[in-house]
Amino acid sequence: MSENYEPVPSSYFFKALLDRDTIILATNTRIALVTKGILRAAKEMDAPVILELARSESDLSGGYSGLTPAEFSRRSREAAAEVGYDMWALHADHIGIKKGTPEDIEATKDLVSGQVEAGFTSFAIDASHLFNFKGGNLREELADNINATTQIAHHIEEKMGGKEYGLEVEVGEIGREDEHGRVLTKPEEAVTFIQALNENDVYPHVLAIANGSAHGNTYDSAGHLIEEISIDVEQTIAIADALRQNGSDVRVAQHGITGTPRELIYERFPHGTILKGNVATYFQNIVWEIFRIFEPELFNDIWKWTIENHREKAPGKSDNEIFGKFSKFAVGQFFERIYAVNEDTKVAIEARVYAETMVFLKAFKADGTAKIVREYISSL
């Protein structure tokens, strides 16, 4: 194992493990207290892991997590050095482009520049909201997404200055619903999108699709937390097969895994077809559970703030669901207190996160795959 604990370009992960029977775990560390536990488990299992935050969580002013790209990078690097683990990537998840206006594009470029300066080795451009429902064909419907993604991808390429990096793009807004339920990405939509980007000299490694998942916790009509079992595995396979048939090495990045039973992932997920699997809210939930017992005053204050500030946004929802959906916005609000918790609280979080990450890595069939990446890198 290398003694260089700096982040690795995720492109090495994607290329080395292309079409192997594994999924690379991408973990959201919006509460950075979970980072060491994740990296310890990755080291124990010798599995590559991606640490990531979305634009909404970590922008140049800190986002709702309170972590700027530079601060997120610093904390991640310190954890990796302390654990002594070499196979991890630093990923800018959901670099969201909501409007596609010149001002929106320029602000996004500024964010990307900050991420590059902070040492990020992986980027996910998300312009999936830019969909022209009045377009006459798929290319016209996707034109705004293609254009915005191309502009930001070229900016990343320029700023990285020849350095290796991983690239994720998105087609089909995750969790979007119409009168029939969640809207799913079609195979021809994915193929058209990737072909258009390739024509523009943009070559992603993974593609996020709408395949029935949703971000965050999932609740039933009574407001009870339930398992997420709506991911359409057959549709996912059909999309990946269509990409393969068109000669593409792009594979699927699966978002919204929180709540998906690990046995379902292990037994039914198409490992390798899904090459990157995002787990975010799951780790936040662990922190809240630990706080509830170890830091009850802090937990109660976070609960009260969340309910008071977000009840109007979720009329008719139970307090439990409101907290589950909106407590992420409390992370930045309680930043100082969260990172000043007692040492035994941090130990409990690390231990619990370590154990749960081990289960995810096993379900992803990722154990031992970091060796394959090291061999790939040494062959370059």
Side-chain angles (χ1 to χ4, degrees):
M1 187 180 296
S2 168
E3 293 186 4
N4 175 14
Y5 306 127
E6 288 294 292
V8 175
S10 66
S11 55
Y12 291 157
F13 298 171
F14 300 135
K15 292 175 183 178
L17 300 174
L18 180 67
D19 288 333
R20 292 182 179 263
D21 190 26
T22 188
I23 300 171
I24 300 158
L25 175 62
T27 60
N28 180 295
T29 56
R30 68 176 67 121
I31 303 175
L33 299 175
V34 306
T35 308
K36 277 178 58 180
I38 291 167
L39 291 173
R40 275 186 55 216
K43 181 178 181 180
E44 178 71 22
M45 300 285 278
D46 197 34
V49 67
I50 296 171
L51 304 182
E52 62 184 27
L53 287 182
R55 179 178 190 165
S56 57
E57 298 166 305
S58 176
D59 59 20
L60 296 177
S61 61
Y64 69 70
S65 76
L67 298 170
T68 63
E71 184 64 14
F72 172 47
S73 176
R74 182 187 71 80
R75 289 176 184 259
S76 299
R77 282 175 154 83
E78 287 180 355
E82 189 171 345
V83 170
Y85 193 53
D86 61 330
M87 281 291 112
W88 66 284
L90 189 63
H91 182 70
D93 193 34
H94 284 295
I95 303 174
I97 306 166
K98 299 290 182 69
K99 299 177 181 177
T101 61
E103 295 79 11
D104 191 13
I105 296 296
E106 287 307 309
T108 305
K109 288 181 178 180
D110 289 343
L111 171 62
V112 166
S113 296
Q115 292 165 336
V116 172
E117 290 170 9
F120 280 59
T121 60
S122 189
F123 305 86
I125 304 168
D126 177 10
S128 61
H129 296 81
L130 304 179
F131 189 88
N132 179 11
F133 291 95
K134 297 179 180 178
N137 55 47
L138 270 178
R139 192 66 174 255
E140 292 175 359
E141 290 174 341
L142 295 170
D144 291 341
N145 186 346
I146 293 165
N147 179 53
T149 300
T150 297
Q151 289 187 67
I152 300 306
H154 287 169
H155 184 73
I156 294 170
E157 180 75 11
E158 177 188 344
K159 288 298 179 180
M160 289 298 284
K163 290 187 289 186
E164 187 77 16
Y165 62 92
L167 182 63
E168 175 180 344
V169 294
E170 186 163 330
V171 64
E173 184 182 345
I174 307 296
R176 185 167 68 84
E177 297 185 355
D178 61 14
E179 65 274 15
H180 305 294
R182 289 181 187 166
V183 178
L184 304 183
T185 300
K186 300 177 180 67
E188 57 270 24
E189 192 176 347
V191 169
T192 299
F193 185 57
I194 294 300
Q195 285 180 337
L197 291 178
N198 290 170
E199 290 168 11
N200 293 344
D201 291 323
V202 176
Y203 298 94
H205 301 99
V206 287
L207 174 67
I209 60 173
N211 63 349
S213 68
H215 293 298
N217 295 314
T218 303
Y219 295 85
D220 63 17
S221 58
H224 301 124
L225 186 64
I226 58 174
E227 292 181 334
E228 167 66 85
I229 55 173
S230 62
I231 293 171
D232 191 324
V233 172
E234 288 72 24
Q235 184 81 345
T236 304
I237 293 172
I239 289 169
D241 285 348
L243 290 167
R244 285 190 182 97
Q245 289 163 11
N246 279 271
S248 176
D249 285 339
V250 174
R251 298 296 177 261
V252 173
Q254 179 64 60
H255 290 225
I257 289 178
T258 290
T260 305
R262 265 82 67 93
E263 64 272 17
L264 175 65
I265 297 171
Y266 183 76
E267 295 168 0
R268 293 198 55 217
F269 267 32
H271 297 70
T273 287
I274 294 176
L275 188 53
K276 174 177 181 274
N278 289 18
V279 182
T281 306
Y282 193 97
F283 293 105
Q284 173 191 282
N285 292 346
I286 289 174
V287 174
W288 296 157
E289 289 173 19
I290 299 293
F291 278 8
R292 193 164 196 162
I293 304 300
F294 283 70
E295 307 283 343
E297 183 178 345
L298 173 57
F299 177 81
N300 288 334
D301 287 346
I302 291 172
W303 177 281
K304 182 179 179 182
W305 181 90
T306 302
I307 302 304
E308 288 180 349
N309 284 276
H310 295 90
R311 186 184 299 282
E312 291 183 1
K313 299 176 184 176
K317 301 296 184 182
S318 68
D319 286 359
N320 187 53
E321 183 169 355
I322 293 170
F323 184 78
K325 295 281 190 183
F326 297 102
S327 58
K328 62 185 181 181
F329 298 112
V331 177
Q333 292 288 324
F334 291 84
F335 188 91
E336 298 297 333
R337 291 176 66 185
I338 285 173
Y339 290 101
V341 293
N342 294 319
E343 196 60 34
D344 59 345
T345 307
K346 295 177 182 178
V347 170
I349 291 170
E350 183 178 338
R352 175 77 183 281
V353 168
Y354 168 82
E356 295 294 345
T357 303
M358 292 273 282
V359 179
F360 273 112
L361 291 170
K362 198 69 175 178
F364 282 17
K365 301 180 183 178
D367 43 319
T369 56
K371 178 183 178 182
I372 300 172
V373 180
R374 290 190 197 94
E375 291 172 350
Y376 172 83
I377 295 172
S378 66
S379 71
L380 297 175

